[in-house]
Structures are given as C-alpha cells and as structure tokens.
Amino acid sequence: MGKRVAACLGAVVLCLGLSQDALALEARIDGLEGDVADNVRHYLGSLDAAQYGRVRLEGEVLRRTREAMRVYGYYEPQIHQRLEERDPPRHVELVIEPGPQVIIEVLDIRLEGDARNDGPFRDTVEAFPLDVGDPLQHAPWDRMRNRLANLSLERGYFDWNFTDRRMEVRPFDESARLYLALDSGPRYAFGDVTIRGSHILEERLRRMAPFTPGEPYLAGDVALYAQRLGQAGWFSSVSVRPRLDSRRQLALTPPELGWWNEVGAQGEATLPSDRAEPTPPPADGPRLSAEALAAVTTLHRPERPVMPIDVVLAPADRHQFEVAVGYATDVGPRLGFGWEQPWINRYGHSLDHDLFISQPEQRLTGTYLLPLDDPLRDQYRLQYGLRHRDMDDTRTLENTIELARRWEFDNRWVQTLYLRATYEDFTQGGEADSVLIYYPGVSWSRTRTRDPRFPSWGDRQRIAFEYSDSMWGSDADFLRMTGDTEWIRMLGSNLRFVNRLGLGAIETSDFSQVPPSLRFFTGGDRTVRGYGYETLAPRNEEGRLRGGQQLLTASTEVQHRITGNWWGAAFIDTGDAFDDWGPDSLNTGAGLGVRWISPVGPVRFDVAHPFDDEENAWRLHFAIGPEF
C-alpha cells in the first residue's frame, strides 16, 4: 500500500513538474532560415502533440506551417514532414520548398477627412516600410492599420472608419493588392468640463486642466488632467473621461432580430435563452433612427464638433495617519509618526505634522500649504520646527519658523524663496551660547527618477544660498552656500552606477555665532562611509568637534546584480569639513556591500575601511530606504 501511494505521489509530482515548454513540439527545418523559420517554430511551439491523433497532428502541423509562412508572403510552399516514431512525438522534421514570394502590385493608402492634414497621420503613412515591388509582409500592414485606428481615438476623430480595407492576394499571379482608406471625419475639440463630487472650488480644479474648451482634443491631455488631480492629494478617486455616448444616446437602438435571424447572423445553432433581458418599453414622443440621425448630423454638423469632459471625484480622508519604523547605524533605531490633512478647506489648503524620534535626535515639524492658481507648481508654504539633538560634542535645542514661496518651472526645476527665523540654544565642543537669527534664502532643486523605489535612472541636484545680517537684528552675520548632486545610471540590466558630490561654504566674521545646525559636519552612511556619523569636522584645542566652514564630499559606487533583487556593491567615499579653502587632505573610505530591493525600498549593508582612522580598521553601515 505504501509503495502504491508513493508511486502515485511520484507521478503527480512528475506531472506537475512538466512545464509547457516540455510538451511543445520542436521543429527541425530544412529549406528555410531567418525570420520565416523562426516564425514557423513559434507557431509550432505552442502545439501540444498529446491532444491530437497522429493524422490530425500532421494536418495541424501543415496548417500552422502554412499560416506562419503566409504572413511573409509565401502562399504556395511545398511542405514535407516526418514526425518521430514515439507517441506522442516531440519533434517534427520539415523539408520546405517556400516557392515564390508574393510581390506587392498595388499599394493604395488614402486619408480622408481632417486627418489628411494632421501630421501624425501623414507620418504614419509615410513611414510604411513597404512599396510596390516589395515582397508582401502582413505585420507592417497590420501595424499601420492599428496605428491609424489608435491615432483616430487619441486625437479626437470619434467618427472615424475605414471605408476601404482590403488585402487581395493572388498566389497564382504571385501578386498582392493592398487598399486602405481612412475617413477620419472632423476632429473634435474639447467641450465643457463637468465636475461632480468635488469638495474643492471648481474654478481651482478647472485651472489645473492642460486644455481649454475649443482646443483640439488629445487623449494625452485627458490623462494628464487625471494625473494632476490625483497628485493634488485632495481626492481618494479620480475619473476623467470624454462623454463618448453624448450623440449616440439620441439614436434608436438597433432593431432586435428574432431567434431565427440570430442563428443565421451569428452562426450559432442554439436557441436564445428564456432568461434574456426584457426589451425596454418604447419612449413616448417622436424618435429618430440611427441612420436618420447620422444623416441629419452630417448635413448640419458644426464646423468643429466638441467632446464634453466628465470629471467624477471622491474626497480623500480628511485625516490620514502614518507610522514608520526604521534603523540606521548613524542614528540607531528610529520611529516616525505622521498626521496629514490633505485638505482643510474648499481652497485646497493642507496641513501635515511629522514627529521623528531617535536616540540622538528628536524633532517635530509642521507644514501649512496654500496652493495658488496652479496648485502643483505654485504654492506658499508656512513651516515650523522643534528639534533637540544630543550627540557627541553637539547639544542643541532649535526652534524654527519659515515662510516660503515655491515655483516649479517647465524644465522641472523648483525655485524656492524663503524667510527663516531660528532660535538655537546650543553647546558645541564645550562652548555654550544661544542665538536668534533671521535670514532669507533661495534654493533651486530638481529630482528626476524612474521607479523611485530602486531607480534604474535618476539624478538629483540642489543649490541654496542663505544670508544673515545684524543690520536687521540677527545675532550672526554670514553668507552660506550649499550644493549637492547625485546621479544614478544603468549599463545594461545588471550594472548600476551611483555617484555623489557635495559642497558647502560659510563666509562669516564670527564663526562662533553660527549655530551648529548651519555648520558643516560629515561622515556616516550617506556621506563618507568608514567613519562615524558627523565625526569629520575641525576640532578645538580640547579635541572636541566644533564644525567647519567648508565642506567637500564625493562618492562613487558600482553595483552588480547577483540574482533577482540581490545586488553586490563596491564603493569609495572621500570628504571632510574644514576651515580653510582647499583642504590639505581628505578622509577616504572604501568597502563592499550588499543591496536587497525590498517592498519598501533597498536595504543596504556595507562594510567600509577608513584609510585615515588608525583606531578603527573597519565599520559596518546599515540603512533602509531609497537613495533619493
């Protein structure tokens, strides 16, 4: 009994282990090569010989081989086949004499209606790779036909149809005649936008549309409008659709056929079900047939018909909460709590609060956004922040409030002008002080990425200038500049490069009045690996960190896929914070690492060796989260 059960289980496992490829019929072809032979193999590759008797299998092989060759213009091949003796066979030997290839004798492609003057339509026709005298190929013809149909819908030709669509093949004459005529009809314009379900002022939503009523219709603009409404964060669901049935709803539905006609028309030898939907009662009043309505609208069609746009929205939850838990060797375990209000009034103002807790640092920040005419690109921003930090030689309590104006340009650069006030009570390197500073600033930044979780391509740049002067009551005089850039590029699908560069400088007459939050420190997971977090900076006579007036960091990293979502990495980092322009030397670290692309972003584990630290031969770095 036990042997029988084991045998049955083994058979089940063997059957489950057989892949579809193992059951496919493999063709060995003589007389054909190149794309035609590959296409024959593709057609036969999905043929399961076990589903056919031997005679039927031979007929199916013959049929599929002819069909595979026909799309390349071979309509009269001579095919000899021999199936292997085993049952079911796994191989078939084909000896093929392809015969003459059908040549295009007539090629007639016509555009009618407004599309004949529309560039993308003309480009599609001109890009057709075949001409009179060329061998017939079905694929380019089908691609062009489908492209013209898609363009008609994408560009607002809702009355389009093919008035002629023929491929006449004459194998006996070795010729083909191709006819294609597209009557696009008029191009529709955007009509009025109807918005339902919005809790935000409609005028604000209308200004977000990338089109205005009367402009030529583009399906891409409809999709872009939906994307913008979704990015605003005000709605839990967004639907933006053209009202395609606006005219058809006026017409009679086609007359229903009796069951005897349905059998003849549909080719089904079954009677209709008794559970068919009941026919709706006829509406009162005069009605038009579809044909009559089409004739009337053709005679009295406006110069450019319009397509209304329907927008259906549902408000997002007014209060949204988020909890985040993480770990990094720089700060150890960390906990984040977020409370977001994506809309607090009908103007789309929003408010969010973030609480971050780790052993060396705790901070609470809040942001109030006031969107302007273009909510995604133009905003006022009011921020506040409380931060406490106690790490190594730095102890500080910081309170900040900021008012900012933000613009996003067409090239995706973001410009921000801000005015910031900061009160900071600190002890740095054993020296205690407190300052109240007011300073304006301006920054430009841009982030571009593909797949933010683990970008295969991306870059990030930011440059900022800040200025404080005792002339307006600030406790410190300084001009501060920071800049950084990061680039991610792929070579093939298994080699990834990550490069970073950071710069900073402070010009001041009294560096002791510059608070620690504005001084420069470096070292750690995201700057110079191999050294402790922010332990690279000038020190005072007692050997305590006091921060630097200049900063320079650089890093290059090469990653190679090991398998699946696992990558190996090799890197070298260098940098330092210093007081004088042009440092005498930089601290350098290098090492190896592992990357695992988790659902929440890459998990990074690095082992780095510091070349300029005699006390530590190596240091571990661990972090979770994307590079940008």
Side-chain angles (χ1 to χ4, degrees):
M1 182 67 178
K3 293 182 178 180
R4 184 180 304 172
V5 172
C8 293
L9 290 175
V12 171
V13 171
L14 181 61
C15 291
L16 292 175
L18 290 176
S19 66
Q20 184 67 27
D21 291 339
L23 299 176
L25 187 66
E26 182 180 343
R28 299 168 181 172
I29 302 173
D30 185 17
L32 283 184
E33 59 184 16
D35 293 340
V36 185
D38 291 341
N39 203 43
V40 172
R41 294 189 184 95
H42 174 73
Y43 269 61
L44 297 180
S46 60
L47 182 59
D48 184 1
Q51 303 297 319
Y52 299 86
R54 201 167 189 85
V55 175
R56 284 191 59 200
L57 180 61
E58 290 177 351
E60 186 66 14
V61 169
L62 185 62
R63 185 188 69 81
R64 294 195 181 199
T65 302
R66 289 183 178 276
E67 185 177 344
M69 296 182 65
R70 191 175 298 130
V71 299
Y72 284 93
Y74 295 100
Y75 277 77
E76 293 185 314
Q78 299 296 320
I79 303 171
H80 306 278
Q81 61 173 303
R82 186 173 70 84
L83 294 170
E84 68 173 344
E85 296 300 327
R86 64 183 294 179
D87 193 19
R90 297 288 176 83
H91 301 89
V92 60
E93 294 182 1
L94 298 174
V95 179
I96 301 175
E97 298 177 12
Q101 196 171 11
V102 169
I103 302 300
I104 299 176
E105 182 182 59
V106 175
L107 181 62
D108 184 9
I109 304 173
R110 287 174 286 122
L111 295 175
E112 301 169 356
D114 290 353
R116 65 176 175 268
N117 298 317
D118 198 341
F121 286 86
R122 295 198 308 271
D123 294 342
T124 299
V125 173
E126 292 172 1
F128 184 60
L130 304 180
D131 205 345
V132 173
D134 291 338
L136 174 64
Q137 294 186 36
H138 289 207
W141 179 256
D142 293 337
R143 282 196 298 267
M144 182 188 64
R145 184 182 60 197
N146 294 334
R147 176 60 178 159
L148 291 175
N150 292 334
L151 278 174
S152 298
L153 294 177
E154 291 171 5
R155 300 182 65 80
Y157 297 93
F158 296 108
D159 299 328
W160 74 277
N161 69 92
F162 287 117
T163 57
D164 194 2
R165 186 177 58 180
R166 289 179 291 155
M167 177 185 287
E168 298 178 357
V169 180
R170 302 181 179 186
F172 61 88
D173 193 34
E174 301 175 10
S175 66
R177 299 178 178 183
L178 308 183
Y179 302 91
L180 187 67
L182 171 70
D183 183 2
S184 68
R187 185 178 184 181
Y188 279 62
F190 282 108
D192 293 333
V193 177
T194 301
I195 300 176
R196 291 183 294 160
S198 175
H199 54 295
I200 306 297
L201 283 176
E202 286 193 6
E203 186 58 32
R204 172 147 291 186
L205 302 183
R206 294 181 191 279
R207 285 198 295 263
M208 296 175 66
F211 56 83
T212 57
E215 290 182 351
Y217 178 91
L218 278 175
D221 285 348
V222 176
L224 180 58
Y225 191 20
Q227 179 183 351
R228 289 180 177 180
L229 292 174
Q231 289 176 340
W234 298 328
F235 309 105
S236 61
S237 67
V238 175
S239 173
V240 181
R241 302 180 63 181
R243 199 181 304 164
L244 292 174
D245 297 330
S246 59
R247 294 186 307 109
R248 296 180 178 87
Q249 292 172 353
L250 300 176
L252 285 170
T253 56
E256 294 190 4
L257 300 175
W259 65 266
W260 54 89
N261 288 326
E262 288 186 1
V263 172
Q266 299 178 5
E268 297 181 1
T270 57
L271 297 180
S273 171
D274 293 336
R275 298 182 179 179
E277 295 293 331
T279 302
D284 296 333
R287 304 179 72 192
L288 294 174
S289 68
E291 292 79 7
L293 180 61
V296 171
T297 54
T298 301
L299 290 173
H300 301 283
R301 178 176 291 161
E303 183 177 350
R304 172 169 284 181
V306 297
M307 178 59 64
I309 303 298
D310 291 329
V311 179
V312 181
L313 307 166
D317 293 337
R318 196 163 189 172
H319 300 277
Q320 301 176 10
F321 301 93
E322 181 180 20
V323 177
V325 179
Y327 179 87
T329 50
D330 283 349
V331 296
R334 54 192 181 188
L335 174 66
F337 178 78
W339 171 28
E340 182 179 1
Q341 295 175 266
W343 58 276
I344 59 177
N345 55 32
R346 58 201 299 259
Y347 301 100
H349 296 184
S350 63
L351 178 64
D352 67 80
H353 305 273
D354 290 290
L355 176 64
F356 173 85
I357 300 174
S358 66
Q359 189 277 327
E361 180 179 343
Q362 306 84 42
R363 65 174 180 265
L364 173 66
T365 59
T367 303
Y368 187 92
L369 287 180
L370 294 83
L372 300 177
D373 288 348
D374 189 340
L376 299 179
R377 302 176 66 173
D378 298 324
Q379 303 167 341
Y380 279 109
R381 183 181 66 197
L382 179 63
Q383 286 185 303
Y384 75 88
L386 305 173
R387 184 173 75 155
H388 174 260
R389 193 174 183 200
D390 188 349
M391 185 174 184
D392 294 332
D393 298 326
T394 303
R395 291 173 179 81
T396 178
L397 179 62
E398 177 187 352
N399 305 283
T400 299
I401 187 169
E402 175 185 295
L403 177 63
R405 174 72 165 87
R406 176 186 182 274
W407 298 265
E408 181 176 343
F409 305 116
D410 292 337
N411 58 9
R412 299 180 62 181
W413 279 92
V414 176
Q415 175 181 278
T416 305
L417 290 174
Y418 55 90
L419 178 62
R420 185 179 299 164
T422 298
Y423 174 77
E424 192 162 345
D425 188 356
F426 64 90
T427 300
Q428 182 65 56
E431 299 180 4
D433 204 344
S434 62
V435 293
L436 176 61
I437 53 177
Y438 313 93
Y439 56 99
V442 58
S443 69
W444 295 273
S445 63
R446 183 180 67 177
T447 299
R448 302 180 297 175
T449 182
R450 299 171 187 166
D451 186 6
R453 186 168 65 98
F454 192 71
S456 59
W457 182 96
D459 54 70
R460 176 178 58 86
Q461 293 85 32
R462 185 180 186 275
I463 185 170
F465 296 91
E466 298 165 333
Y467 181 72
S468 176
D469 198 309
S470 57
M471 179 178 61
W472 52 67
S474 184
D475 289 341
D477 297 306
F478 63 82
L479 172 63
R480 185 174 187 265
M481 184 278 289
T482 56
D484 60 82
T485 182
E486 183 171 0
W487 296 77
I488 297 176
R489 293 294 186 268
M490 293 278 289
L491 182 61
S493 58
N494 296 319
L495 200 59
R496 188 170 183 260
F497 298 89
V498 182
N499 298 287
R500 306 181 186 93
L501 176 67
L503 300 168
I506 301 174
E507 183 65 31
T508 180
S509 58
D510 187 357
F511 185 66
S512 65
Q513 291 297 105
V514 177
S517 62
L518 298 178
R519 301 181 188 184
F520 294 117
F521 304 83
T522 191
D525 298 340
R526 292 184 174 271
T527 53
V528 185
R529 284 162 287 189
Y531 301 86
Y533 177 54
E534 296 195 351
T535 58
L536 300 180
R539 298 175 180 267
N540 58 21
E541 296 178 354
E542 299 175 358
R544 296 182 177 183
L545 290 169
R546 60 178 178 82
Q549 290 185 237
Q550 280 80 40
L551 174 73
L552 173 61
T553 62
S555 173
T556 185
E557 180 173 318
V558 180
Q559 301 173 0
H560 190 275
R561 189 193 305 270
I562 301 173
T563 179
N565 289 329
W566 290 89
W567 295 67
F571 59 87
I572 181 169
D573 304 334
T574 188
D576 203 354
F578 42 90
D579 288 331
D580 299 323
W581 290 99
D584 296 332
S585 62
L586 296 174
N587 295 277
T588 301
L592 301 174
V594 176
R595 308 287 181 265
W596 173 52
I597 310 174
S598 74
V600 297
V603 177
R604 301 187 298 276
F605 179 80
D606 294 323
V607 179
H609 169 66
F611 292 100
D612 304 288
D613 187 349
E614 298 178 356
E615 298 181 0
N616 297 290
W618 52 271
R619 181 178 291 271
L620 297 178
H621 295 274
F622 178 80
I624 301 176
E627 285 95 348
F628 291 167

